[in-house]
């Protein structure tokens, strides 16, 4: 080994430091209120309180997504910033699993480090809030890392143990999100089947299938009858997002990165194979190729079935980079462990993925190169100036807001510590907490909170409504259906609630059921309106009180 190389221990230490370092960066920051983060809070908070899924509340997916956030609520207390801490832990798990997968394929340390940097910059750094479309991939990576360890170990007992652990995490992936978890299972079965055929040993495949089914039964059977109604497996009233036409159109019309990587992966395989018969017997080489192609296929489907946020499928970059780099370095005489190679490739990766960190560095550069004040120049010259910053003008209805629409600030409530929101939202929360109905009914306050401000259950506080037919969230056609809508309509007409918070989001398809708004207006009195904590500010929160009591 050259004198400029690092020892095996130092490589491992460097990998761990990178993974933990990147994961901890968000813990030293403040954050704007995140769109959809209310769902991360609500599920974790209900589990934290001891409520049981499908018995105390229903949801169209499994509860795997909320396990880690709920545990962190137990450890650090229910607060929005605790969700960031939970995500830091998940990012550490993801990074360690990614490195473990590469080690199973004997990827050289230099390529591992640069591939890890791609993984951290492209996939981990931007995911500082928990979200099920990310957590499903984290559990998949953990499961695949154990599965590969089990496939390539010579210890039969250790191999079976690895298969059991892999089965647990891969089912947890499915029980976080059906699409990503289902594709993770298919990838795992493909890897197991190939290795069983090649080695003529079927014990790993059998052990995995038995373990997976056993884990599924142990988790699902105690959930009761409500599970079959709520868990979306394509049955009415749910709808499937798996549309072959949409997937094909997305791939053919867009997906440039996916298609480019597919070509490069195929070319790199073909360039490195002198005998296809011999290559097909090389278990590690073929398994690595199958895994990479499987990840590409998963990303192609995942971008259609799980379309928010738009870039939630970019986990494929790091896998393709690692595979192509591994193939090239096996073919060419690169000293991938030299400091020169590491420094050069790391610099190029940092340039490639500069967008991941530039938003933070840009705060410093703006002090050196302040942005041109277009508004001031327009005022001074009297001319209309059009630039890339103002060529589109969106003016939401904010006539009811006294505060500056674009100004965000913090609140003194512990549950929102280090989280900033529009001034209108903060002052609106203060007015809600000061309402006589809130102050007089500290115990037994009946609240329907159909907004993104779900942490108010802890801040107010009020008791969460429960029941086997009660939805975890209120997106009509996704989180609840007409049956639940009818129940809410009847409760509102019967003046069941003391206080109702309703978010009106006209640009979103029944994110909160539009049909409830006229029922509210007919049966309750609206006493306040303020901005919802969204960017752009395209939704409002309306406060209704019961005047019949």
């Amino acid at each position: 080994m050259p004198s400029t190389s690092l020892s095996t221990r130092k490589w491992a230490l460097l990998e761990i430091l990178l993974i933990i370092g990147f994961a901890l960066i968000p813990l030293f920051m403040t954050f704007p209120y995140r769109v959809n983060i209310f769902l991360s809070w609500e599920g974790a908070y209900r589990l934290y309180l001891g409520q049981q899924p499908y018995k105390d509340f229903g949801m169209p997916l499994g509860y795997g997504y909320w396990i880690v956030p709920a545990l962190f609520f137990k450890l650090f207390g229910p607060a929005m910033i605790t969700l960031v801490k939970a995500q830091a832990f998940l990012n550490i798990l993801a990074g360690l699993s990614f490195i473990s997968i590469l080690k199973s394929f004997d990827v050289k340390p230099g390529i591992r480090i640069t591939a890890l940097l791609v993984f951290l910059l492209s996939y981990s750094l931007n995911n500082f809030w928990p979200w099920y479309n990310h957590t499903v991939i984290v559990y998949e990576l953990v499961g695949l890392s154990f599965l590969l360890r089990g496939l390539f170990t010579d210890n039969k007992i250790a191999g079976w143990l690895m298969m059991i652990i892999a089965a647990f995490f891969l089912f947890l992936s499915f029980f976080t999100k059906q699409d990503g978890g289902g594709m993770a299972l298919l990838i795992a079965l493909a890897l197991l089947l190939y290795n069983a055929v090649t080695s003529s040993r079927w014990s790993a495949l059998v052990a995995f299938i038995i373990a997976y089914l056993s884990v599924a039964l142990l988790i699902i059977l105690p959930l009761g009858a409500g599970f079959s109604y709520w868990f979306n497996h394509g049955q009415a009233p749910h709808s499937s997002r798996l549309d072959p036409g949409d997937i094909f159109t997305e791939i053919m019309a867009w997906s440039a990165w996916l298609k480019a990587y597919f070509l490069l992966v195929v070319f790199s395989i073909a360039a490195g194979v002198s005998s296809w018969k011999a290559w097909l017997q090389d278990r590690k080489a073929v398994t690595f190729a199958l895994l990479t192609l499987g990840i590409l296929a998963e990303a192609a489907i995942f971008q259609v079935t799980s379309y928010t946020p738009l870039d939630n499928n970019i986990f494929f970059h790091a896998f393709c980079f690692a595979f192509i780099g591994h193939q090239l370095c096996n073919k060419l005489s690169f000293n991938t462990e030299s400091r020169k190679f590491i420094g050069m490739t790391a610099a190029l990766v940092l340039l490639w993925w500069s967008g991941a960190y530039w938003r933070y560095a840009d705060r410093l550069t703006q002090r050196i190169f302040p942005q041109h004040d277009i508004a001031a120049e327009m005022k001074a010259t009297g001319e209309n100036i059009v630039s890339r910053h103002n060529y589109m003008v969106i003016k939401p209805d904010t006539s009811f807001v006294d505060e500056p629409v674009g100004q965000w600030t913090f609140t003194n409530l512990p549950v929102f510590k280090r989280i900033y929101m529009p001034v209108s939202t903060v002052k609106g929360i203060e007015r809600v907490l000061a309402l006589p109905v809130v102050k007089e009914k500290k115990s037994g306050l009946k609240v329907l909170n159909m907004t993104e401000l779900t942490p108010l259950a802890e801040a107010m506080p009020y008791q969460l409504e429960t029941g086997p037919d009660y939805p975890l969230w209120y997106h009509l056609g996704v989180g609840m259906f007409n049956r639940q809508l009818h129940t809410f309509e009847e409760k509102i007409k019967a003046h069941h609630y003391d206080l109702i918070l309703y978010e009106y989001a006209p640009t979103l398809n029944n994110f909160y059921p539009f049909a409830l708004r006229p029922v509210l207006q007919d049966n309750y009195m609206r006493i306040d309106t303020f901005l919802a904590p969204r960017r752009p500010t395209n939704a409002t929160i309306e406060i209704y009180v019961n005047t019949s009591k």
Side-chain angles (χ1 to χ4, degrees), residues 44 47 63-76 82-83 85-91 93 130 135 138-139 169 172:
L47 292 181
Y63 58 77
Y65 164 42
W66 292 280
I67 292 175
V68 171
L71 289 174
F72 271 68
F73 276 1
K74 289 287 188 182
L75 292 172
F76 301 103
T82 302
L83 294 176
K85 297 174 183 177
Q87 183 59 32
F89 174 75
L90 288 170
N91 283 338
L93 275 184
T135 304
V138 174
Y139 291 146
F169 278 103
L172 199 57

mmCIF file of all heavy atoms in Angstrom, residues 44 47 63-76 82-83 85-91 93 130 135 138-139 169 172:
data_model
loop_
_atom_site.group_PDB
_atom_site.id
_atom_site.type_symbol
_atom_site.label_atom_id
_atom_site.label_comp_id
_atom_site.label_asym_id
_atom_site.label_seq_id
_atom_site.Cartn_x
_atom_site.Cartn_y
_atom_site.Cartn_z
ATOM 1 N N ALA A 44 -46.413 10.623 14.947
ATOM 2 C CA ALA A 44 -45.455 10.400 16.031
ATOM 3 C C ALA A 44 -46.059 10.774 17.377
ATOM 4 O O ALA A 44 -45.844 10.087 18.383
ATOM 5 C CB ALA A 44 -44.185 11.202 15.776
ATOM 6 N N LEU A 47 -48.558 8.095 18.578
ATOM 7 C CA LEU A 47 -47.839 6.925 19.093
ATOM 8 C C LEU A 47 -47.182 7.251 20.433
ATOM 9 O O LEU A 47 -47.167 6.413 21.346
ATOM 10 C CB LEU A 47 -46.784 6.465 18.089
ATOM 11 C CG LEU A 47 -47.288 5.871 16.764
ATOM 12 C CD1 LEU A 47 -46.108 5.451 15.893
ATOM 13 C CD2 LEU A 47 -48.211 4.682 17.014
ATOM 14 N N TYR A 63 -47.316 1.944 9.968
ATOM 15 C CA TYR A 63 -46.840 2.933 10.940
ATOM 16 C C TYR A 63 -45.323 2.983 11.067
ATOM 17 O O TYR A 63 -44.785 3.645 11.953
ATOM 18 C CB TYR A 63 -47.472 2.670 12.315
ATOM 19 C CG TYR A 63 -47.229 1.302 12.910
ATOM 20 C CD1 TYR A 63 -46.010 0.969 13.496
ATOM 21 C CD2 TYR A 63 -48.230 0.331 12.898
ATOM 22 C CE1 TYR A 63 -45.795 -0.279 14.060
ATOM 23 C CE2 TYR A 63 -48.027 -0.924 13.457
ATOM 24 C CZ TYR A 63 -46.809 -1.226 14.038
ATOM 25 O OH TYR A 63 -46.592 -2.464 14.589
ATOM 26 N N GLY A 64 -44.598 2.314 10.143
ATOM 27 C CA GLY A 64 -43.145 2.306 10.221
ATOM 28 C C GLY A 64 -42.527 3.694 10.190
ATOM 29 O O GLY A 64 -41.517 3.955 10.856
ATOM 30 N N TYR A 65 -43.128 4.580 9.438
ATOM 31 C CA TYR A 65 -42.633 5.950 9.290
ATOM 32 C C TYR A 65 -42.530 6.689 10.615
ATOM 33 O O TYR A 65 -41.623 7.494 10.830
ATOM 34 C CB TYR A 65 -43.585 6.660 8.319
ATOM 35 C CG TYR A 65 -43.540 8.158 8.267
ATOM 36 C CD1 TYR A 65 -42.345 8.866 8.281
ATOM 37 C CD2 TYR A 65 -44.731 8.887 8.146
ATOM 38 C CE1 TYR A 65 -42.338 10.251 8.196
ATOM 39 C CE2 TYR A 65 -44.725 10.259 8.048
ATOM 40 C CZ TYR A 65 -43.525 10.942 8.081
ATOM 41 O OH TYR A 65 -43.519 12.304 7.991
ATOM 42 N N TRP A 66 -43.446 6.404 11.545
ATOM 43 C CA TRP A 66 -43.528 7.198 12.772
ATOM 44 C C TRP A 66 -42.809 6.555 13.959
ATOM 45 O O TRP A 66 -42.788 7.139 15.041
ATOM 46 C CB TRP A 66 -44.997 7.432 13.133
ATOM 47 C CG TRP A 66 -45.687 8.331 12.160
ATOM 48 C CD1 TRP A 66 -45.632 9.697 12.115
ATOM 49 C CD2 TRP A 66 -46.549 7.940 11.089
ATOM 50 N NE1 TRP A 66 -46.392 10.173 11.085
ATOM 51 C CE2 TRP A 66 -46.980 9.120 10.433
ATOM 52 C CE3 TRP A 66 -47.003 6.711 10.610
ATOM 53 C CZ2 TRP A 66 -47.832 9.108 9.327
ATOM 54 C CZ3 TRP A 66 -47.842 6.699 9.512
ATOM 55 C CH2 TRP A 66 -48.249 7.884 8.891
ATOM 56 N N ILE A 67 -42.222 5.383 13.782
ATOM 57 C CA ILE A 67 -41.611 4.698 14.926
ATOM 58 C C ILE A 67 -40.456 5.498 15.506
ATOM 59 O O ILE A 67 -40.408 5.773 16.717
ATOM 60 C CB ILE A 67 -41.143 3.285 14.518
ATOM 61 C CG1 ILE A 67 -42.344 2.393 14.210
ATOM 62 C CG2 ILE A 67 -40.292 2.662 15.619
ATOM 63 C CD1 ILE A 67 -41.972 1.018 13.678
ATOM 64 N N VAL A 68 -39.500 5.889 14.676
ATOM 65 C CA VAL A 68 -38.321 6.619 15.169
ATOM 66 C C VAL A 68 -38.708 7.987 15.720
ATOM 67 O O VAL A 68 -38.274 8.350 16.830
ATOM 68 C CB VAL A 68 -37.249 6.725 14.068
ATOM 69 C CG1 VAL A 68 -36.116 7.662 14.502
ATOM 70 C CG2 VAL A 68 -36.690 5.345 13.735
ATOM 71 N N PRO A 69 -39.518 8.809 15.020
ATOM 72 C CA PRO A 69 -39.927 10.081 15.614
ATOM 73 C C PRO A 69 -40.645 9.925 16.950
ATOM 74 O O PRO A 69 -40.435 10.727 17.866
ATOM 75 C CB PRO A 69 -40.855 10.684 14.554
ATOM 76 C CG PRO A 69 -40.368 10.107 13.271
ATOM 77 C CD PRO A 69 -39.957 8.701 13.612
ATOM 78 N N ALA A 70 -41.493 8.894 17.089
ATOM 79 C CA ALA A 70 -42.188 8.673 18.358
ATOM 80 C C ALA A 70 -41.207 8.323 19.471
ATOM 81 O O ALA A 70 -41.336 8.804 20.609
ATOM 82 C CB ALA A 70 -43.231 7.561 18.203
ATOM 83 N N LEU A 71 -40.209 7.493 19.168
ATOM 84 C CA LEU A 71 -39.176 7.158 20.157
ATOM 85 C C LEU A 71 -38.400 8.408 20.569
ATOM 86 O O LEU A 71 -38.070 8.588 21.744
ATOM 87 C CB LEU A 71 -38.231 6.108 19.586
ATOM 88 C CG LEU A 71 -38.793 4.694 19.433
ATOM 89 C CD1 LEU A 71 -37.797 3.796 18.717
ATOM 90 C CD2 LEU A 71 -39.149 4.097 20.796
ATOM 91 N N PHE A 72 -38.119 9.280 19.619
ATOM 92 C CA PHE A 72 -37.394 10.509 19.944
ATOM 93 C C PHE A 72 -38.268 11.469 20.747
ATOM 94 O O PHE A 72 -37.757 12.236 21.562
ATOM 95 C CB PHE A 72 -36.858 11.163 18.674
ATOM 96 C CG PHE A 72 -35.493 10.661 18.293
ATOM 97 C CD1 PHE A 72 -35.314 9.351 17.863
ATOM 98 C CD2 PHE A 72 -34.391 11.482 18.382
ATOM 99 C CE1 PHE A 72 -34.055 8.869 17.525
ATOM 100 C CE2 PHE A 72 -33.126 11.021 18.047
ATOM 101 C CZ PHE A 72 -32.955 9.717 17.631
ATOM 102 N N PHE A 73 -39.582 11.452 20.522
ATOM 103 C CA PHE A 73 -40.479 12.229 21.388
ATOM 104 C C PHE A 73 -40.375 11.737 22.832
ATOM 105 O O PHE A 73 -40.409 12.529 23.777
ATOM 106 C CB PHE A 73 -41.924 12.112 20.898
ATOM 107 C CG PHE A 73 -42.281 13.077 19.800
ATOM 108 C CD1 PHE A 73 -41.357 13.969 19.290
ATOM 109 C CD2 PHE A 73 -43.563 13.096 19.266
ATOM 110 C CE1 PHE A 73 -41.693 14.864 18.274
ATOM 111 C CE2 PHE A 73 -43.917 13.976 18.258
ATOM 112 C CZ PHE A 73 -42.982 14.860 17.760
ATOM 113 N N LYS A 74 -40.265 10.422 22.999
ATOM 114 C CA LYS A 74 -40.112 9.857 24.340
ATOM 115 C C LYS A 74 -38.788 10.294 24.973
ATOM 116 O O LYS A 74 -38.715 10.564 26.173
ATOM 117 C CB LYS A 74 -40.162 8.328 24.269
ATOM 118 C CG LYS A 74 -41.524 7.743 23.950
ATOM 119 C CD LYS A 74 -42.475 7.867 25.128
ATOM 120 C CE LYS A 74 -43.774 7.107 24.845
ATOM 121 N NZ LYS A 74 -44.745 7.262 25.963
ATOM 122 N N LEU A 75 -37.743 10.363 24.162
ATOM 123 C CA LEU A 75 -36.413 10.693 24.676
ATOM 124 C C LEU A 75 -36.227 12.188 24.921
ATOM 125 O O LEU A 75 -35.654 12.600 25.945
ATOM 126 C CB LEU A 75 -35.341 10.199 23.704
ATOM 127 C CG LEU A 75 -35.176 8.685 23.562
ATOM 128 C CD1 LEU A 75 -34.218 8.355 22.418
ATOM 129 C CD2 LEU A 75 -34.653 8.084 24.870
ATOM 130 N N PHE A 76 -36.694 13.013 23.976
ATOM 131 C CA PHE A 76 -36.387 14.444 24.020
ATOM 132 C C PHE A 76 -37.611 15.326 24.205
ATOM 133 O O PHE A 76 -37.476 16.554 24.285
ATOM 134 C CB PHE A 76 -35.658 14.856 22.736
ATOM 135 C CG PHE A 76 -34.380 14.110 22.508
ATOM 136 C CD1 PHE A 76 -34.307 13.073 21.588
ATOM 137 C CD2 PHE A 76 -33.231 14.434 23.220
ATOM 138 C CE1 PHE A 76 -33.122 12.381 21.371
ATOM 139 C CE2 PHE A 76 -32.043 13.745 23.017
ATOM 140 C CZ PHE A 76 -31.989 12.720 22.098
ATOM 141 N N THR A 82 -37.491 18.115 17.695
ATOM 142 C CA THR A 82 -37.207 16.703 17.964
ATOM 143 C C THR A 82 -37.310 15.880 16.687
ATOM 144 O O THR A 82 -36.599 14.878 16.523
ATOM 145 C CB THR A 82 -38.177 16.156 19.026
ATOM 146 O OG1 THR A 82 -38.062 16.942 20.212
ATOM 147 C CG2 THR A 82 -37.863 14.709 19.369
ATOM 148 N N LEU A 83 -38.182 16.303 15.776
ATOM 149 C CA LEU A 83 -38.289 15.602 14.495
ATOM 150 C C LEU A 83 -36.989 15.722 13.697
ATOM 151 O O LEU A 83 -36.587 14.781 13.001
ATOM 152 C CB LEU A 83 -39.448 16.184 13.677
ATOM 153 C CG LEU A 83 -40.852 15.981 14.254
ATOM 154 C CD1 LEU A 83 -41.894 16.690 13.395
ATOM 155 C CD2 LEU A 83 -41.190 14.498 14.368
ATOM 156 N N LYS A 85 -34.031 15.940 15.054
ATOM 157 C CA LYS A 85 -33.107 15.010 15.716
ATOM 158 C C LYS A 85 -33.373 13.573 15.263
ATOM 159 O O LYS A 85 -32.429 12.798 15.039
ATOM 160 C CB LYS A 85 -33.247 15.122 17.233
ATOM 161 C CG LYS A 85 -32.873 16.487 17.791
ATOM 162 C CD LYS A 85 -33.171 16.585 19.286
ATOM 163 C CE LYS A 85 -32.864 17.979 19.820
ATOM 164 N NZ LYS A 85 -33.207 18.129 21.250
ATOM 165 N N ALA A 86 -34.638 13.218 15.135
ATOM 166 C CA ALA A 86 -34.992 11.869 14.668
ATOM 167 C C ALA A 86 -34.475 11.643 13.255
ATOM 168 O O ALA A 86 -33.960 10.565 12.934
ATOM 169 C CB ALA A 86 -36.500 11.675 14.722
ATOM 170 N N GLN A 87 -34.596 12.676 12.407
ATOM 171 C CA GLN A 87 -34.136 12.529 11.031
ATOM 172 C C GLN A 87 -32.612 12.421 10.969
ATOM 173 O O GLN A 87 -32.069 11.705 10.103
ATOM 174 C CB GLN A 87 -34.608 13.709 10.179
ATOM 175 C CG GLN A 87 -34.244 13.605 8.712
ATOM 176 C CD GLN A 87 -34.820 12.363 8.053
ATOM 177 O OE1 GLN A 87 -35.891 11.889 8.427
ATOM 178 N NE2 GLN A 87 -34.118 11.830 7.060
ATOM 179 N N ALA A 88 -31.912 13.098 11.877
ATOM 180 C CA ALA A 88 -30.450 12.967 11.929
ATOM 181 C C ALA A 88 -30.060 11.512 12.191
ATOM 182 O O ALA A 88 -29.129 10.982 11.572
ATOM 183 C CB ALA A 88 -29.881 13.881 13.016
ATOM 184 N N PHE A 89 -30.778 10.869 13.096
ATOM 185 C CA PHE A 89 -30.527 9.449 13.380
ATOM 186 C C PHE A 89 -30.797 8.588 12.142
ATOM 187 O O PHE A 89 -30.006 7.694 11.807
ATOM 188 C CB PHE A 89 -31.402 9.000 14.552
ATOM 189 C CG PHE A 89 -31.338 7.531 14.831
ATOM 190 C CD1 PHE A 89 -30.238 6.971 15.455
ATOM 191 C CD2 PHE A 89 -32.387 6.700 14.466
ATOM 192 C CE1 PHE A 89 -30.165 5.607 15.708
ATOM 193 C CE2 PHE A 89 -32.339 5.334 14.723
ATOM 194 C CZ PHE A 89 -31.220 4.785 15.343
ATOM 195 N N LEU A 90 -31.902 8.861 11.446
ATOM 196 C CA LEU A 90 -32.233 8.097 10.242
ATOM 197 C C LEU A 90 -31.185 8.310 9.154
ATOM 198 O O LEU A 90 -30.832 7.376 8.426
ATOM 199 C CB LEU A 90 -33.616 8.512 9.729
ATOM 200 C CG LEU A 90 -34.813 8.036 10.572
ATOM 201 C CD1 LEU A 90 -36.087 8.719 10.113
ATOM 202 C CD2 LEU A 90 -34.962 6.522 10.495
ATOM 203 N N ASN A 91 -30.670 9.534 9.032
ATOM 204 C CA ASN A 91 -29.630 9.798 8.038
ATOM 205 C C ASN A 91 -28.333 9.057 8.360
ATOM 206 O O ASN A 91 -27.616 8.615 7.455
ATOM 207 C CB ASN A 91 -29.366 11.298 7.939
ATOM 208 C CG ASN A 91 -30.444 12.027 7.144
ATOM 209 O OD1 ASN A 91 -31.149 11.423 6.339
ATOM 210 N ND2 ASN A 91 -30.574 13.317 7.364
ATOM 211 N N LEU A 93 -28.240 6.139 9.959
ATOM 212 C CA LEU A 93 -28.546 4.755 9.567
ATOM 213 C C LEU A 93 -28.390 4.555 8.061
ATOM 214 O O LEU A 93 -27.814 3.563 7.610
ATOM 215 C CB LEU A 93 -29.979 4.400 9.977
ATOM 216 C CG LEU A 93 -30.257 3.897 11.381
ATOM 217 C CD1 LEU A 93 -31.722 3.519 11.501
ATOM 218 C CD2 LEU A 93 -29.381 2.715 11.738
ATOM 219 N N PRO A 130 -38.223 14.370 8.850
ATOM 220 C CA PRO A 130 -38.717 13.030 8.489
ATOM 221 C C PRO A 130 -39.843 13.122 7.459
ATOM 222 O O PRO A 130 -40.689 14.011 7.539
ATOM 223 C CB PRO A 130 -39.251 12.478 9.826
ATOM 224 C CG PRO A 130 -38.736 13.385 10.886
ATOM 225 C CD PRO A 130 -38.510 14.708 10.252
ATOM 226 N N THR A 135 -38.031 7.840 4.588
ATOM 227 C CA THR A 135 -37.871 6.774 5.586
ATOM 228 C C THR A 135 -38.004 5.395 4.954
ATOM 229 O O THR A 135 -37.298 4.455 5.347
ATOM 230 C CB THR A 135 -38.910 6.938 6.710
ATOM 231 O OG1 THR A 135 -38.784 8.250 7.277
ATOM 232 C CG2 THR A 135 -38.701 5.919 7.806
ATOM 233 N N VAL A 138 -34.683 4.513 3.679
ATOM 234 C CA VAL A 138 -33.733 4.246 4.768
ATOM 235 C C VAL A 138 -33.865 2.806 5.238
ATOM 236 O O VAL A 138 -32.871 2.063 5.336
ATOM 237 C CB VAL A 138 -33.954 5.219 5.947
ATOM 238 C CG1 VAL A 138 -33.062 4.827 7.136
ATOM 239 C CG2 VAL A 138 -33.663 6.651 5.532
ATOM 240 N N TYR A 139 -35.088 2.372 5.517
ATOM 241 C CA TYR A 139 -35.300 0.991 5.961
ATOM 242 C C TYR A 139 -34.906 -0.003 4.869
ATOM 243 O O TYR A 139 -34.393 -1.095 5.154
ATOM 244 C CB TYR A 139 -36.755 0.782 6.360
ATOM 245 C CG TYR A 139 -37.165 1.503 7.621
ATOM 246 C CD1 TYR A 139 -38.460 2.017 7.765
ATOM 247 C CD2 TYR A 139 -36.280 1.697 8.672
ATOM 248 C CE1 TYR A 139 -38.842 2.681 8.921
ATOM 249 C CE2 TYR A 139 -36.656 2.365 9.823
ATOM 250 C CZ TYR A 139 -37.942 2.858 9.943
ATOM 251 O OH TYR A 139 -38.323 3.518 11.083
ATOM 252 N N PHE A 169 -36.334 -5.432 8.415
ATOM 253 C CA PHE A 169 -36.229 -4.052 7.931
ATOM 254 C C PHE A 169 -36.896 -3.871 6.572
ATOM 255 O O PHE A 169 -37.464 -2.804 6.293
ATOM 256 C CB PHE A 169 -34.765 -3.614 7.881
ATOM 257 C CG PHE A 169 -34.239 -3.170 9.212
ATOM 258 C CD1 PHE A 169 -33.422 -4.003 9.962
ATOM 259 C CD2 PHE A 169 -34.573 -1.927 9.731
ATOM 260 C CE1 PHE A 169 -32.943 -3.611 11.205
ATOM 261 C CE2 PHE A 169 -34.098 -1.519 10.966
ATOM 262 C CZ PHE A 169 -33.289 -2.361 11.715
ATOM 263 N N LEU A 172 -40.432 -3.570 7.292
ATOM 264 C CA LEU A 172 -40.649 -2.244 7.870
ATOM 265 C C LEU A 172 -40.672 -1.191 6.770
ATOM 266 O O LEU A 172 -41.424 -0.216 6.848
ATOM 267 C CB LEU A 172 -39.548 -1.934 8.880
ATOM 268 C CG LEU A 172 -39.830 -0.824 9.904
ATOM 269 C CD1 LEU A 172 -41.093 -1.117 10.698
ATOM 270 C CD2 LEU A 172 -38.635 -0.672 10.842
#
